[in-house]
Coordinates of all heavy atoms in Angstrom, one line a residue:
M763 N 79.0 153.4 -75.4 CA 79.4 152.1 -74.8 C 79.3 152.3 -73.3 O 79.9 153.2 -72.7 CB 80.7 151.7 -75.2 CG 81.1 150.4 -74.8 SD 82.7 149.9 -75.7 CE 83.3 148.8 -74.6
N764 N 78.6 151.4 -72.6 CA 78.4 151.4 -71.2 C 79.5 150.5 -70.5 O 79.4 149.3 -70.6 CB 77.0 150.9 -70.8 CG 76.8 151.0 -69.3 OD1 77.5 151.6 -68.6 ND2 75.7 150.4 -68.9
I765 N 80.5 151.1 -69.9 CA 81.5 150.3 -69.2 C 81.2 150.1 -67.8 O 81.0 151.1 -67.0 CB 82.9 151.0 -69.3 CG1 83.3 151.3 -70.8 CG2 84.0 150.3 -68.6 CD1 83.7 150.1 -71.6
L766 N 81.0 148.9 -67.4 CA 80.7 148.6 -66.0 C 82.0 148.3 -65.3 O 82.9 147.7 -65.8 CB 79.8 147.3 -65.9 CG 78.4 147.4 -66.5 CD1 77.7 146.1 -66.5 CD2 77.6 148.4 -65.7
Q767 N 82.0 148.7 -64.0 CA 83.2 148.5 -63.2 C 83.1 147.0 -62.7 O 82.0 146.4 -62.7 CB 83.2 149.4 -62.0 CG 83.4 150.9 -62.5 CD 83.9 151.7 -61.4 OE1 84.1 151.3 -60.3 NE2 84.1 153.0 -61.7
D768 N 84.2 146.5 -62.3 CA 84.3 145.1 -61.9 C 83.3 144.8 -60.8 O 82.5 143.8 -60.9 CB 85.7 144.7 -61.4 CG 86.7 144.8 -62.5 OD1 86.3 144.9 -63.7 OD2 87.9 144.7 -62.2
N769 N 83.2 145.6 -59.8 CA 82.3 145.4 -58.7 C 80.8 145.5 -59.1 O 80.0 145.0 -58.4 CB 82.6 146.3 -57.5 CG 83.9 145.9 -56.8 OD1 84.5 144.9 -57.1 ND2 84.4 146.7 -55.9
D770 N 80.5 146.2 -60.2 CA 79.1 146.3 -60.6 C 78.6 145.0 -61.1 O 77.4 144.7 -61.1 CB 79.0 147.4 -61.7 CG 79.2 148.8 -61.2 OD1 79.1 149.0 -60.0 OD2 79.5 149.7 -62.0
L771 N 79.5 144.1 -61.6 CA 79.1 142.9 -62.2 C 79.0 141.7 -61.2 O 78.2 140.8 -61.2 CB 80.0 142.5 -63.4 CG 79.7 143.1 -64.7 CD1 80.8 142.7 -65.7 CD2 78.3 142.8 -65.2
I772 N 79.9 141.8 -60.2 CA 80.0 140.7 -59.2 C 78.7 140.6 -58.4 O 78.2 141.6 -57.9 CB 81.2 141.0 -58.3 CG1 82.5 140.8 -59.1 CG2 81.2 140.0 -57.1 CD1 83.8 141.2 -58.3
G773 N 78.2 139.4 -58.3 CA 77.0 139.2 -57.6 C 75.7 139.3 -58.4 O 74.7 138.9 -58.0
K774 N 75.8 139.7 -59.7 CA 74.7 139.8 -60.6 C 74.2 138.5 -61.0 O 75.0 137.6 -61.2 CB 75.0 140.7 -61.8 CG 74.7 142.1 -61.7 CD 74.7 142.8 -63.0 CE 74.4 144.2 -62.9 NZ 73.0 144.5 -62.9
I775 N 72.9 138.3 -61.1 CA 72.3 137.1 -61.7 C 72.3 137.2 -63.2 O 71.9 138.3 -63.7 CB 70.9 136.9 -61.1 CG1 71.0 136.7 -59.6 CG2 70.3 135.6 -61.7 CD1 69.7 136.8 -58.9
A776 N 72.7 136.1 -63.9 CA 72.7 136.2 -65.3 C 72.2 134.8 -65.8 O 72.4 133.8 -65.2 CB 74.2 136.4 -65.8
Y777 N 71.7 134.8 -67.0 CA 71.2 133.6 -67.7 C 71.9 133.4 -69.0 O 72.1 134.4 -69.7 CB 69.7 133.7 -68.0 CG 68.8 133.8 -66.8 CD1 68.5 135.0 -66.2 CD2 68.4 132.6 -66.2 CE1 67.7 135.0 -65.0 CE2 67.6 132.6 -65.1 CZ 67.2 133.8 -64.5 OH 66.4 133.8 -63.4
S778 N 72.3 132.2 -69.3 CA 72.9 131.9 -70.5 C 72.0 132.0 -71.7 O 70.8 131.6 -71.6 CB 73.5 130.4 -70.4 OG 74.1 130.1 -71.6
K779 N 72.4 132.6 -72.8 CA 71.6 132.9 -73.9 C 71.5 131.7 -74.9 O 70.4 131.5 -75.5 CB 72.1 134.1 -74.7 CG 71.9 135.4 -74.1 CD 72.4 136.5 -75.1 CE 72.2 137.9 -74.5 NZ 72.7 138.9 -75.4
A780 N 72.5 130.9 -75.0 CA 72.5 129.8 -76.0 C 73.4 128.7 -75.5 O 74.2 128.8 -74.6 CB 72.9 130.3 -77.3
G781 N 73.4 127.6 -76.3 CA 74.3 126.5 -76.0 C 73.7 125.4 -75.1 O 72.5 125.4 -74.8
R782 N 74.5 124.5 -74.6 CA 74.0 123.4 -73.7 C 73.4 124.0 -72.5 O 72.5 123.4 -71.9 CB 75.2 122.5 -73.4 CG 75.6 121.6 -74.4 CD 76.7 120.7 -73.9 NE 77.9 121.6 -73.7 CZ 79.1 121.2 -73.7 NH1 79.4 120.0 -73.9 NH2 80.1 122.1 -73.6
D783 N 73.9 125.1 -72.0 CA 73.4 125.7 -70.8 C 72.4 126.8 -71.0 O 72.2 127.6 -70.1 CB 74.6 126.1 -69.9 CG 75.4 127.3 -70.5 OD1 75.2 127.5 -71.7 OD2 76.2 127.9 -69.8
K784 N 71.7 126.8 -72.1 CA 70.7 127.9 -72.4 C 69.7 128.0 -71.3 O 69.2 127.0 -70.8 CB 70.0 127.6 -73.7 CG 69.1 128.7 -74.1 CD 68.4 128.4 -75.4 CE 67.5 129.6 -75.7 NZ 66.7 129.4 -76.9
D785 N 69.4 129.2 -70.9 CA 68.5 129.6 -69.8 C 68.9 129.2 -68.4 O 68.1 129.3 -67.5 CB 67.1 129.0 -70.1 CG 66.5 129.6 -71.4 OD1 66.7 130.8 -71.7 OD2 65.8 128.9 -72.1
K786 N 70.1 128.7 -68.3 CA 70.6 128.3 -66.9 C 71.0 129.6 -66.2 O 71.6 130.5 -66.7 CB 71.8 127.4 -67.1 CG 72.4 126.9 -65.7 CD 73.2 125.7 -65.9 CE 73.9 125.2 -64.7 NZ 73.0 125.1 -63.5
G787 N 70.7 129.6 -64.9 CA 71.0 130.8 -64.1 C 72.4 130.6 -63.4 O 72.7 129.5 -62.9
Y788 N 73.1 131.7 -63.4 CA 74.4 131.8 -62.7 C 74.5 133.1 -61.9 O 73.7 134.0 -62.1 CB 75.5 131.8 -63.8 CG 75.7 130.6 -64.6 CD1 75.2 130.5 -65.9 CD2 76.3 129.4 -64.1 CE1 75.4 129.4 -66.7 CE2 76.5 128.3 -64.9 CZ 76.0 128.3 -66.2 OH 76.2 127.2 -66.9
I789 N 75.5 133.1 -61.1 CA 75.9 134.4 -60.4 C 77.3 134.7 -60.9 O 78.2 133.8 -60.9 CB 75.8 134.2 -58.9 CG1 74.4 134.1 -58.5 CG2 76.5 135.4 -58.2 CD1 74.1 134.0 -57.0
I790 N 77.5 135.9 -61.3 CA 78.8 136.4 -61.8 C 79.7 136.5 -60.5 O 79.4 137.2 -59.6 CB 78.7 137.7 -62.5 CG1 77.9 137.5 -63.8 CG2 80.1 138.2 -62.9 CD1 77.6 138.7 -64.6
I791 N 80.9 135.8 -60.6 CA 81.8 135.9 -59.4 C 83.0 136.7 -59.7 O 83.7 137.1 -58.7 CB 82.1 134.5 -58.9 CG1 82.9 133.7 -60.0 CG2 80.9 133.7 -58.5 CD1 83.5 132.4 -59.5
E792 N 83.4 136.9 -61.0 CA 84.6 137.7 -61.3 C 84.5 138.2 -62.7 O 84.0 137.5 -63.6 CB 85.8 136.8 -61.1 CG 87.1 137.5 -61.2 CD 88.3 136.6 -61.0 OE1 88.2 135.6 -60.2 OE2 89.4 136.8 -61.7
R793 N 85.1 139.3 -62.9 CA 85.2 139.9 -64.3 C 86.7 139.7 -64.7 O 87.6 140.1 -64.1 CB 84.9 141.3 -64.3 CG 84.9 141.9 -65.7 CD 84.4 143.3 -65.7 NE 84.3 143.8 -67.1 CZ 83.6 144.8 -67.4 NH1 82.9 145.5 -66.5 NH2 83.5 145.2 -68.7
I794 N 86.9 139.0 -65.9 CA 88.2 138.8 -66.4 C 88.7 140.0 -67.2 O 89.8 140.4 -67.0 CB 88.2 137.5 -67.3 CG1 87.8 136.3 -66.4 CG2 89.6 137.3 -67.9 CD1 87.6 135.0 -67.2
D795 N 87.9 140.4 -68.1 CA 88.2 141.6 -68.9 C 86.9 142.2 -69.4 O 85.8 141.9 -68.9 CB 89.2 141.3 -70.1 CG 88.7 140.2 -71.0 OD1 87.5 140.0 -71.2 OD2 89.5 139.5 -71.6
D796 N 87.0 143.0 -70.5 CA 85.7 143.6 -71.0 C 84.8 142.7 -71.7 O 83.6 143.0 -71.8 CB 86.1 144.7 -72.0 CG 86.7 146.0 -71.3 OD1 86.5 146.1 -70.1 OD2 87.3 146.8 -72.1
N797 N 85.3 141.5 -72.0 CA 84.5 140.5 -72.8 C 84.1 139.3 -71.9 O 83.0 138.7 -72.3 CB 85.2 140.1 -74.0 CG 85.4 141.2 -75.0 OD1 84.5 142.0 -75.3 ND2 86.6 141.3 -75.5
Y798 N 84.8 138.9 -71.0 CA 84.6 137.7 -70.3 C 84.4 137.9 -68.8 O 85.0 138.8 -68.1 CB 85.8 136.7 -70.4 CG 85.9 136.2 -71.8 CD1 86.7 136.8 -72.8 CD2 85.3 135.0 -72.2 CE1 86.8 136.2 -74.1 CE2 85.4 134.5 -73.4 CZ 86.2 135.1 -74.4 OH 86.3 134.6 -75.6
V799 N 83.6 137.0 -68.2 CA 83.4 136.9 -66.8 C 83.4 135.4 -66.3 O 83.4 134.5 -67.2 CB 82.0 137.5 -66.3 CG1 81.9 139.0 -66.6 CG2 80.8 136.8 -67.0
L800 N 83.6 135.2 -65.1 CA 83.5 133.8 -64.5 C 82.1 133.8 -63.8 O 81.8 134.7 -63.0 CB 84.6 133.6 -63.5 CG 86.0 133.6 -64.1 CD1 87.1 133.4 -63.0 CD2 86.2 132.5 -65.1
V801 N 81.4 132.6 -64.0 CA 80.1 132.5 -63.3 C 80.1 131.1 -62.6 O 80.9 130.2 -62.9 CB 79.0 132.5 -64.4 CG1 78.9 133.8 -65.0 CG2 79.2 131.4 -65.4
A802 N 79.3 131.1 -61.6 CA 79.1 129.9 -60.8 C 77.7 129.6 -60.5 O 76.9 130.6 -60.4 CB 79.9 130.0 -59.5
D803 N 77.3 128.3 -60.3 CA 76.0 128.0 -59.8 C 76.0 127.3 -58.5 O 74.9 126.9 -57.9 CB 75.2 127.1 -60.9 CG 75.9 125.8 -61.1 OD1 76.9 125.4 -60.4 OD2 75.4 125.1 -62.0
G804 N 77.2 127.1 -57.9 CA 77.3 126.5 -56.6 C 77.2 125.0 -56.6 O 77.4 124.4 -55.5
K805 N 76.9 124.4 -57.7 CA 76.8 122.9 -57.7 C 77.8 122.4 -58.7 O 78.8 121.9 -58.4 CB 75.4 122.6 -58.1 CG 75.1 121.1 -58.0 CD 73.6 120.8 -58.3 CE 73.4 119.3 -58.2 NZ 72.1 118.9 -58.4
K806 N 77.5 122.5 -60.0 CA 78.3 122.0 -61.1 C 79.5 122.9 -61.3 O 80.6 122.5 -61.5 CB 77.5 121.7 -62.3 CG 78.2 120.8 -63.3 CD 77.3 120.4 -64.4 CE 77.9 119.4 -65.3 NZ 77.0 119.1 -66.5
K807 N 79.2 124.2 -61.4 CA 80.2 125.2 -61.6 C 80.4 125.9 -60.2 O 79.7 126.7 -59.8 CB 79.8 126.2 -62.7 CG 79.7 125.6 -64.0 CD 81.0 125.0 -64.5 CE 80.9 124.3 -65.8 NZ 82.2 123.6 -66.2
T808 N 81.5 125.5 -59.6 CA 81.8 126.0 -58.2 C 82.8 127.2 -58.3 O 83.3 127.5 -59.3 CB 82.4 124.9 -57.4 OG1 83.6 124.5 -58.0 CG2 81.4 123.7 -57.2
I809 N 83.0 127.8 -57.1 CA 84.0 128.9 -57.0 C 85.4 128.4 -57.4 O 86.1 129.1 -58.1 CB 84.0 129.4 -55.6 CG1 82.7 130.1 -55.2 CG2 85.2 130.4 -55.4 CD1 82.3 131.3 -56.0
S810 N 85.7 127.2 -57.1 CA 87.1 126.7 -57.5 C 87.2 126.3 -58.9 O 88.3 126.3 -59.5 CB 87.4 125.5 -56.6 OG 86.5 124.5 -56.7
K811 N 86.0 126.0 -59.6 CA 86.0 125.6 -61.0 C 84.9 126.3 -61.7 O 83.9 125.7 -62.2 CB 85.9 124.1 -61.2 CG 87.1 123.4 -60.7 CD 87.1 122.0 -61.2 CE 87.6 122.0 -62.7 NZ 88.0 120.8 -63.2
P812 N 84.9 127.7 -61.8 CA 83.8 128.4 -62.4 C 83.8 128.3 -64.0 O 84.8 127.8 -64.6 CB 84.1 129.9 -62.0 CG 85.6 129.9 -61.9 CD 86.0 128.6 -61.4
K813 N 82.7 128.7 -64.5 CA 82.6 128.7 -66.0 C 83.0 130.0 -66.6 O 82.5 131.0 -66.0 CB 81.2 128.3 -66.4 CG 80.9 128.2 -67.9 CD 79.5 127.7 -68.1 CE 79.3 127.5 -69.6 NZ 79.8 126.2 -70.1
R814 N 83.8 130.1 -67.6 CA 84.1 131.3 -68.3 C 83.1 131.6 -69.4 O 82.8 130.7 -70.2 CB 85.5 131.2 -68.9 CG 86.1 132.5 -69.4 CD 87.4 132.3 -69.9 NE 87.3 132.1 -71.3 CZ 88.2 132.3 -72.2 NH1 89.3 132.8 -71.9 NH2 88.0 132.0 -73.5
K815 N 82.5 132.7 -69.3 CA 81.4 133.1 -70.3 C 81.7 134.5 -70.9 O 82.2 135.4 -70.2 CB 80.0 133.1 -69.7 CG 79.5 131.8 -69.2 CD 79.1 130.9 -70.3 CE 77.7 131.3 -70.8 NZ 77.2 130.3 -71.9
K816 N 81.4 134.6 -72.2 CA 81.4 135.9 -72.8 C 80.2 136.7 -72.3 O 79.1 136.1 -72.2 CB 81.4 135.8 -74.3 CG 82.7 135.6 -75.0 CD 82.6 135.8 -76.4 CE 84.0 135.8 -77.0 NZ 84.0 136.1 -78.4
L817 N 80.4 138.0 -72.0 CA 79.3 138.8 -71.6 C 78.2 138.9 -72.6 O 77.0 138.9 -72.3 CB 79.8 140.2 -71.3 CG 80.4 140.4 -69.9 CD1 81.0 141.8 -69.8 CD2 79.4 140.2 -68.8
K818 N 78.5 138.8 -73.9 CA 77.5 138.9 -74.9 C 76.6 137.6 -75.0 O 75.6 137.6 -75.6 CB 78.1 139.2 -76.3 CG 78.9 138.1 -76.9 CD 79.4 138.5 -78.3 CE 80.0 137.4 -79.1 NZ 80.4 137.8 -80.4
H819 N 77.1 136.5 -74.3 CA 76.3 135.3 -74.3 C 75.5 135.2 -73.0 O 74.9 134.1 -72.7 CB 77.3 134.1 -74.4 CG 77.9 134.0 -75.7 ND1 79.1 133.4 -75.9 CD2 77.6 134.5 -77.0 CE1 79.5 133.5 -77.2 NE2 78.6 134.2 -77.8
L820 N 75.4 136.2 -72.2 CA 74.7 136.2 -71.0 C 73.6 137.3 -71.0 O 73.8 138.4 -71.5 CB 75.6 136.5 -69.8 CG 76.6 135.4 -69.4 CD1 77.5 136.0 -68.3 CD2 75.9 134.2 -68.9
N821 N 72.4 137.0 -70.5 CA 71.4 138.0 -70.2 C 71.5 138.4 -68.8 O 71.3 137.6 -67.9 CB 70.0 137.4 -70.4 CG 69.6 137.3 -71.9 OD1 69.9 138.1 -72.7 ND2 68.8 136.2 -72.2
L822 N 72.0 139.6 -68.6 CA 72.2 140.1 -67.2 C 70.8 140.6 -66.7 O 70.1 141.2 -67.4 CB 73.2 141.3 -67.2 CG 74.6 140.9 -67.7 CD1 75.5 142.2 -67.7 CD2 75.2 139.8 -66.9
T823 N 70.6 140.3 -65.4 CA 69.4 140.9 -64.8 C 69.8 142.1 -63.9 O 71.0 142.3 -63.7 CB 68.8 139.8 -63.8 OG1 69.7 139.5 -62.8 CG2 68.5 138.5 -64.6
C824 N 68.8 142.8 -63.4 CA 69.1 143.9 -62.5 C 69.3 143.4 -61.1 O 69.8 144.2 -60.3 CB 67.9 144.9 -62.6 SG 67.6 145.6 -64.2
E825 N 69.0 142.2 -60.8 CA 69.1 141.7 -59.5 C 70.5 141.3 -59.1 O 71.2 140.7 -59.9 CB 68.2 140.5 -59.3 CG 68.0 140.0 -57.9 CD 67.0 139.0 -57.7 OE1 66.3 138.6 -58.7 OE2 66.8 138.5 -56.6
V826 N 70.9 141.7 -57.9 CA 72.2 141.4 -57.4 C 72.0 140.7 -56.1 O 71.2 141.0 -55.2 CB 73.0 142.7 -57.1 CG1 74.4 142.4 -56.5 CG2 73.2 143.5 -58.4
A827 N 72.8 139.6 -55.9 CA 72.8 138.8 -54.7 C 73.8 139.5 -53.8 O 75.0 139.1 -53.8 CB 73.2 137.4 -55.0
N828 N 73.4 140.5 -53.0 CA 74.3 141.3 -52.2 C 75.0 140.5 -51.2 O 76.2 140.7 -50.9 CB 73.5 142.4 -51.5 CG 73.1 143.5 -52.5 OD1 74.0 143.9 -53.3 ND2 71.9 143.9 -52.5
E829 N 74.4 139.5 -50.5 CA 75.1 138.7 -49.5 C 76.2 137.9 -50.2 O 77.3 137.8 -49.6 CB 74.1 137.7 -48.8 CG 74.7 136.9 -47.8 CD 73.7 135.9 -47.2 OE1 72.5 136.1 -47.3 OE2 74.2 134.9 -46.6
I830 N 76.0 137.4 -51.3 CA 77.0 136.6 -52.0 C 78.1 137.6 -52.5 O 79.3 137.2 -52.4 CB 76.4 135.8 -53.2 CG1 75.5 134.7 -52.6 CG2 77.5 135.2 -54.1 CD1 74.6 134.1 -53.6
K831 N 77.7 138.7 -53.0 CA 78.7 139.7 -53.5 C 79.6 140.1 -52.3 O 80.9 140.1 -52.5 CB 78.0 141.0 -54.0 CG 78.9 142.0 -54.5 CD 78.2 143.2 -55.0 CE 79.1 144.3 -55.5 NZ 78.4 145.4 -56.2
D832 N 79.1 140.3 -51.1 CA 79.9 140.7 -50.0 C 80.8 139.5 -49.6 O 82.0 139.8 -49.3 CB 79.0 141.1 -48.8 CG 78.2 142.3 -49.0 OD1 78.6 143.1 -49.9 OD2 77.2 142.5 -48.3
S833 N 80.3 138.3 -49.7 CA 81.1 137.1 -49.4 C 82.3 137.0 -50.4 O 83.4 136.7 -50.0 CB 80.3 135.9 -49.4 OG 79.3 135.9 -48.4
L834 N 82.0 137.2 -51.6 CA 83.0 137.1 -52.7 C 84.1 138.2 -52.5 O 85.3 137.9 -52.6 CB 82.4 137.3 -54.1 CG 81.6 136.1 -54.6 CD1 80.8 136.5 -55.8 CD2 82.5 134.9 -54.9
L835 N 83.7 139.4 -52.1 CA 84.7 140.5 -52.0 C 85.5 140.3 -50.7 O 86.6 140.9 -50.6 CB 83.9 141.8 -52.0 CG 83.3 142.2 -53.3 CD1 82.5 143.5 -53.2 CD2 84.3 142.3 -54.4
S836 N 85.0 139.6 -49.7 CA 85.7 139.4 -48.5 C 86.4 138.0 -48.4 O 86.9 137.7 -47.3 CB 84.8 139.6 -47.3 OG 83.8 138.6 -47.2
D837 N 86.3 137.3 -49.5 CA 87.0 135.9 -49.5 C 86.5 135.0 -48.4 O 87.3 134.2 -47.8 CB 88.5 136.1 -49.5 CG 89.1 136.6 -50.8 OD1 88.4 136.5 -51.8 OD2 90.1 137.3 -50.7
E838 N 85.2 134.9 -48.2 CA 84.7 134.0 -47.2 C 84.7 132.6 -47.7 O 84.9 132.4 -48.9 CB 83.2 134.4 -46.8 CG 83.1 135.6 -46.0 CD 81.6 135.8 -45.6 OE1 80.8 134.9 -45.6 OE2 81.3 137.0 -45.3
R839 N 84.5 131.6 -46.9 CA 84.4 130.2 -47.3 C 82.9 129.8 -47.4 O 82.1 130.6 -47.1 CB 85.0 129.3 -46.2 CG 86.5 129.5 -46.1 CD 87.1 128.5 -45.1 NE 88.5 128.6 -45.1 CZ 89.3 127.8 -44.5 NH1 88.8 126.8 -43.7 NH2 90.6 127.9 -44.5
D840 N 82.7 128.7 -48.0 CA 81.3 128.1 -48.2 C 80.5 129.0 -49.0 O 79.2 129.1 -48.8 CB 80.7 127.9 -46.8 CG 81.4 126.8 -46.0 OD1 82.1 126.0 -46.6 OD2 81.4 126.9 -44.7
I841 N 81.0 129.7 -50.0 CA 80.3 130.5 -50.9 C 79.4 129.7 -51.8 O 78.3 130.1 -52.2 CB 81.2 131.5 -51.7 CG1 81.9 132.4 -50.7 CG2 80.4 132.3 -52.6 CD1 83.0 133.3 -51.3
D842 N 79.9 128.5 -52.2 CA 79.2 127.7 -53.1 C 77.8 127.3 -52.5 O 76.8 127.3 -53.2 CB 79.9 126.4 -53.4 CG 81.1 126.7 -54.4 OD1 80.9 127.5 -55.3 OD2 82.2 126.1 -54.2
I843 N 77.8 127.0 -51.2 CA 76.5 126.7 -50.5 C 75.6 127.9 -50.6 O 74.4 127.7 -50.8 CB 76.8 126.2 -49.1 CG1 77.6 124.9 -49.1 CG2 75.5 126.1 -48.3 CD1 78.1 124.6 -47.7
K844 N 76.1 129.1 -50.4 CA 75.3 130.3 -50.4 C 74.7 130.5 -51.8 O 73.5 130.9 -52.0 CB 76.1 131.5 -50.0 CG 76.4 131.6 -48.5 CD 77.1 132.8 -48.2 CE 77.5 132.9 -46.7 NZ 78.2 134.1 -46.4
I845 N 75.6 130.3 -52.9 CA 75.1 130.5 -54.2 C 74.0 129.5 -54.6 O 73.0 129.8 -55.1 CB 76.3 130.3 -55.2 CG1 77.3 131.5 -55.1 CG2 75.8 130.2 -56.7 CD1 78.6 131.4 -55.8
K846 N 74.3 128.2 -54.3 CA 73.3 127.2 -54.6 C 72.0 127.5 -53.9 O 70.9 127.4 -54.5 CB 73.8 125.8 -54.1 CG 73.0 124.7 -54.4 CD 73.6 123.4 -54.0 CE 72.6 122.2 -54.1 NZ 73.2 121.0 -53.6
S847 N 72.0 127.8 -52.6 CA 70.8 128.1 -51.8 C 70.1 129.3 -52.4 O 68.8 129.3 -52.5 CB 71.1 128.4 -50.4 OG 71.7 127.2 -49.8
F848 N 70.8 130.4 -52.7 CA 70.2 131.6 -53.3 C 69.5 131.3 -54.6 O 68.3 131.7 -54.8 CB 71.3 132.6 -53.5 CG 70.7 133.9 -54.1 CD1 70.2 134.9 -53.3 CD2 70.7 134.1 -55.5 CE1 69.6 136.1 -53.8 CE2 70.2 135.3 -56.0 CZ 69.7 136.3 -55.1
L849 N 70.1 130.5 -55.5 CA 69.5 130.2 -56.8 C 68.3 129.3 -56.6 O 67.3 129.5 -57.4 CB 70.6 129.6 -57.7 CG 71.7 130.5 -58.2 CD1 72.7 129.7 -59.0 CD2 71.2 131.7 -58.9
I850 N 68.3 128.4 -55.7 CA 67.1 127.6 -55.4 C 66.0 128.4 -54.8 O 64.9 128.3 -55.2 CB 67.5 126.4 -54.5 CG1 68.4 125.4 -55.3 CG2 66.3 125.7 -54.0 CD1 69.0 124.3 -54.5
L851 N 66.4 129.2 -53.9 CA 65.4 130.1 -53.2 C 64.6 131.0 -54.2 O 63.4 131.2 -54.1 CB 66.0 130.9 -52.1 CG 65.1 131.8 -51.3 CD1 64.2 131.0 -50.4 CD2 65.9 132.8 -50.4
K852 N 65.4 131.5 -55.1 CA 64.8 132.5 -56.1 C 64.2 131.7 -57.3 O 63.8 132.3 -58.2 CB 65.9 133.4 -56.6 CG 66.4 134.4 -55.6 CD 65.4 135.4 -55.3 CE 65.9 136.4 -54.3 NZ 65.0 137.5 -54.0
A853 N 64.2 130.4 -57.2 CA 63.6 129.5 -58.3 C 64.3 129.7 -59.6 O 63.7 129.6 -60.7 CB 62.1 129.7 -58.4
I854 N 65.6 130.1 -59.5 CA 66.4 130.2 -60.7 C 66.9 128.9 -61.2 O 67.0 128.6 -62.4 CB 67.6 131.2 -60.5 CG1 67.0 132.6 -60.2 CG2 68.6 131.2 -61.6 CD1 67.9 133.6 -59.7
V855 N 67.2 128.0 -60.3 CA 67.5 126.6 -60.6 C 66.6 125.7 -59.8 O 66.2 126.1 -58.7 CB 69.0 126.2 -60.3 CG1 69.9 127.1 -61.2 CG2 69.4 126.4 -58.9
K856 N 66.4 124.5 -60.3 CA 65.6 123.5 -59.6 C 66.5 122.6 -58.7 O 67.6 122.3 -59.1 CB 64.8 122.6 -60.6 CG 63.8 123.4 -61.4 CD 63.1 122.6 -62.3 CE 62.1 123.4 -63.1 NZ 61.6 122.7 -64.2
E857 N 65.9 122.3 -57.5 CA 66.7 121.5 -56.6 C 66.5 120.0 -57.1 O 65.5 119.6 -57.5 CB 66.1 121.6 -55.2 CG 66.9 120.8 -54.2 CD 66.4 121.1 -52.8 OE1 65.3 121.7 -52.6 OE2 67.1 120.7 -51.9
V858 N 67.7 119.3 -57.2 CA 67.6 118.0 -57.7 C 68.0 117.0 -56.6 O 68.8 117.3 -55.8 CB 68.6 117.8 -58.9 CG1 68.7 116.4 -59.3 CG2 68.3 118.7 -60.0

């Protein structure tokens, strides 16, 4: 069993595997426990109201948004704007 530390998951890009949000891109903002994380997209799911997801329902990528990870770990403001911009820039979500 591969146990990831909390900081290893923060800032990782992940895609939802199933459900209404299937294939939607998120950034992991916090690890709750071994099974659950909080994710945000900067628009609908913000830092103040993140989505709780089971790790087994996410496809984790190798890519880490280091600037966002640093912002999350230092409790900066306006992180939602950074998350939204990053996901649009990487073509993970479409700008509406």
Side-chain angles (χ1 to χ4, degrees):
M763 187 170 156
N764 183 11
I765 303 288
L766 294 172
Q767 296 198 2
D768 293 350
N769 287 351
D770 292 341
L771 283 175
I772 294 175
K774 268 195 181 272
I775 298 169
Y777 293 91
S778 179
K779 286 184 181 178
R782 285 181 291 205
D783 62 345
K784 183 178 181 184
D785 297 325
K786 182 160 174 54
Y788 294 103
I789 293 182
I790 296 174
I791 61 167
E792 185 179 328
R793 184 174 188 162
I794 299 172
D795 58 29
D796 286 344
N797 297 314
Y798 289 94
V799 293
L800 296 178
V801 295
D803 64 5
K805 187 175 181 182
K806 196 171 185 182
K807 296 299 177 183
T808 61
I809 296 294
S810 60
K811 292 195 79 163
K813 184 173 183 82
R814 189 179 92 153
K815 293 287 280 183
K816 275 192 171 187
L817 278 171
K818 72 178 186 177
H819 294 156
L820 290 172
N821 280 328
L822 300 177
T823 66
C824 295
E825 190 170 0
V826 176
N828 286 314
E829 181 183 340
I830 295 168
K831 180 178 181 175
D832 294 341
S833 296
L834 287 166
L835 295 174
S836 65
D837 290 331
E838 285 184 25
R839 291 184 176 187
D840 298 330
I841 298 173
D842 287 320
I843 295 168
K844 289 180 182 181
I845 291 173
K846 183 179 171 185
S847 299
F848 180 85
L849 294 175
I850 290 171
L851 180 69
K852 295 289 186 175
I854 294 168
V855 296
K856 295 179 181 172
E857 187 172 11
V858 178

